[in-house]
């Protein structure tokens, strides 16, 4: 809706391990409502994720520089070079979805986790303080590496946590970008 106010064009790319839906950028409230409808009705065909595929698609289909919001948990570690390339061509803004339970598992004993993409299963003893600390360190390292990459590429980014309000961080991001552009 901010785009409507600014008379900007808005498009949509929904991807899994392939681009599953592409709506070319257009202006207008009807078009934005169509995009919202597309997002709400979308049912993915695949469960795997490939950020590189989506970033390459964006670079190939969008010839003019654009602001591209990439919404993901960024749990794939093979996207860095594609993100660098896309960021040279466009103004990439990662919106990182986070769940604190990834870092702070509940102490409930043994839990079987299954990777939703590979179906690989792993047993984790959440009753072990050592295990919980190891998990927290690994997740923290992953999150720090993601932040470092975004900062190295000079990207504005925002982290949205599943247990917190998402409006405030997004407003803060838009204000930061707006104040920088008005200078």
């Amino acid at each position: 809706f901010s785009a409507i106010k600014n008379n900007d064009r808005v498009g949509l790319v929904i991807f899994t391990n392939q681009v599953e839906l592409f709506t070319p950028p257009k202006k207008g409230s009807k078009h934005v409502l169509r995009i919202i409808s597309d997002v709400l009705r979308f049912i993915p065909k695949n469960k795997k994720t490939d950020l590189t595929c989506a970033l390459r698609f964006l670079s190939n289909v969008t010839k003019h520089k654009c602001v591209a919001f990439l919404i993901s948990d960024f749990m794939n570690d093979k996207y860095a070079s594609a993100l660098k390339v896309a960021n040279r061509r466009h103004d990439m803004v990662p919106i990182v979805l986070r769940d604190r339970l990834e870092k702070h598992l509940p102490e409930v004993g043994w839990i079987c986790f299954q990777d939703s993409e590979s179906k690989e299963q792993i047993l984790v003893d959440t009753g072990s303080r050592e295990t919980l600390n190891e998990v927290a360190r690994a997740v923290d390292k992953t999150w720090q590496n993601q932040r470092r990459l975004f900062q190295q590429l000079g990207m504005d980014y925002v982290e949205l946590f599943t247990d917190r309000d998402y409006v405030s961080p997004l407003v803060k991001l838009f204000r930061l970008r707006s104040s920088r552009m008005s200078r």
Side-chain angles (χ1 to χ4, degrees):
F1 291 107
S2 293
I4 294 170
K5 262 183 164 174
N6 295 333
N7 200 29
D8 291 332
R9 297 180 331 144
V10 179
L12 174 69
V13 177
I14 297 180
F15 64 95
T16 53
N17 62 340
Q18 64 187 30
V19 173
E20 293 203 18
L21 178 66
F22 172 60
T23 306
K26 288 185 183 177
K27 294 180 183 183
S29 57
K30 248 185 184 177
H31 181 68
V32 170
L33 291 172
R34 174 186 170 205
I35 286 177
I36 292 169
S37 174
D38 287 346
V39 168
L40 293 174
R41 286 195 222 153
F42 182 75
I43 298 170
K45 294 179 188 129
N46 298 298
K47 292 198 182 283
K48 295 190 177 196
T49 310
D50 186 350
L51 287 169
T52 299
C53 168
L55 291 165
R56 286 185 181 143
F57 179 83
L58 176 69
S59 292
N60 289 334
V61 78
T62 310
K63 301 303 177 195
H64 301 287
K65 183 175 178 130
C66 72
V67 178
F69 295 92
L70 181 58
I71 304 169
S72 175
D73 60 8
F74 292 86
M75 294 302 281
N76 177 319
D77 60 352
K78 297 177 179 128
Y79 60 85
S81 61
L83 186 60
K84 287 176 190 174
V85 170
N87 193 51
R88 273 189 236 123
R89 177 175 243 173
H90 305 293
D91 180 4
M92 299 298 301
V93 182
I95 298 178
V96 188
L97 305 177
R98 303 261 193 241
D99 188 333
R100 288 187 199 289
L101 284 176
E102 294 170 14
K103 189 173 178 179
H104 304 288
L105 297 175
E107 295 182 40
V108 293
W110 288 93
I111 299 178
C112 181
F113 289 97
Q114 180 172 324
D115 184 297
S116 63
E117 294 185 14
S118 70
K119 302 299 182 208
E120 179 184 345
Q121 294 183 340
I122 184 171
L123 275 175
V124 177
D125 181 8
T126 63
S128 162
R129 176 61 35 207
E130 184 180 325
T131 299
L132 293 176
N133 289 339
E134 190 177 318
V135 168
R137 280 192 300 273
V139 171
D140 195 49
K141 181 179 177 184
T142 298
W143 290 2
Q144 290 298 332
N145 288 341
Q146 291 169 349
R147 292 174 187 132
R148 193 174 307 114
L149 174 65
F150 301 149
Q151 290 165 351
Q152 286 171 348
L153 295 176
M155 295 176 160
D156 294 327
Y157 68 95
V158 65
E159 295 174 316
L160 303 180
F161 288 85
T162 57
D163 63 338
R164 286 194 192 160
D165 172 50
Y166 60 89
V167 175
S168 298
L170 288 173
V171 167
K172 185 178 176 183
L173 172 72
F174 285 119
R175 284 188 179 140
L176 170 80
R177 291 177 59 80
S178 177
S179 70
R180 192 176 317 122
M181 290 181 182
S182 65
R183 291 182 201 161

